[in-house]
Amino acid sequence: MSTRRVEASLKNHGYAYVEDTDHPEVLRARFDDYRFQFMLTGEAGSVLQARGRWNRSVSAARKPEMLKLCNEWNMSRVWPKVYVRRESEGLLGLYGEVTSDFSSGGSDQQIDRAIECGLRTVIAFFRELEERLGSEVDELDA
């Protein structure tokens, strides 16, 4: 597993990305106006993680509601793992991530599928958030 193989998969799909100069194991991209990063973690750098951040911020006062939405998602689906993270004193970010372990190796097709799974499932979570919140989405901090 290597960052070059992840780059090759992104290129093969026609996805634009940028390298993170401070973190060479991280590639950053935008899909449907959501920020994503693809990174290799684990002892041998063989674990691929696709992580997306919802394009809205939420008041910390709404944390119980956001936790409930995330828990409902996590209880009924395998992917992605979703969570709430405090980003500043008064604001929360919502995230989704899919992690794939390639410590035993993996084909280019498996890497492609891991990336596609991460993108599709995380974006599906974000869209469900927007649907469930309805017109309230426009009142959130962008």
Side-chain angles (χ1 to χ4, degrees):
M1 193 61 190
S2 69
T3 304
R4 297 299 160 234
R5 290 185 73 197
V6 176
E7 287 177 340
S9 178
L10 293 169
K11 284 179 187 176
N12 287 340
H13 287 289
Y15 298 149
Y17 65 89
V18 295
E19 295 178 9
D20 186 323
T21 54
D22 294 330
H23 305 281
E25 72 285 359
V26 176
L27 303 172
R28 299 188 185 280
R30 279 195 178 269
F31 297 91
D32 291 353
D33 203 34
Y34 307 114
R35 294 183 319 204
F36 275 82
Q37 61 183 29
F38 302 91
M39 66 182 134
L40 297 177
T41 64
E43 289 181 26
S46 59
V47 177
L48 172 61
Q49 186 176 79
R51 179 186 298 163
R53 185 197 183 281
W54 193 33
N55 60 359
R56 303 285 183 156
S57 295
V58 180
S59 166
R62 295 184 75 173
K63 185 175 183 179
E65 175 188 4
M66 296 301 116
L67 287 172
K68 182 180 179 202
L69 291 170
C70 288
N71 286 341
E72 288 173 2
W73 177 278
N74 287 330
M75 287 188 304
S76 63
R77 293 170 181 84
V78 176
W79 295 300
K81 172 181 82 174
V82 299
Y83 55 94
V84 176
R85 186 172 131 191
R86 183 178 293 269
E87 295 187 330
S88 68
E89 185 60 34
L91 293 177
L92 306 170
L94 278 82
Y95 292 81
E97 62 187 45
V98 172
T99 302
S100 304
D101 187 348
F102 289 99
S103 58
S104 296
S107 68
D108 291 341
Q109 185 178 25
Q110 288 171 314
I111 294 169
D112 289 347
R113 286 186 180 162
I115 289 171
E116 287 296 318
C117 178
L119 289 172
R120 288 182 183 176
T121 61
V122 171
I123 289 171
F125 168 65
F126 295 155
R127 290 196 174 137
E128 182 166 312
L129 271 177
E130 291 159 358
E131 185 177 305
R132 299 250 332 243
L133 293 172
S135 62
E136 291 180 65
V137 168
D138 294 331
E139 298 169 17
L140 301 175
D141 298 318

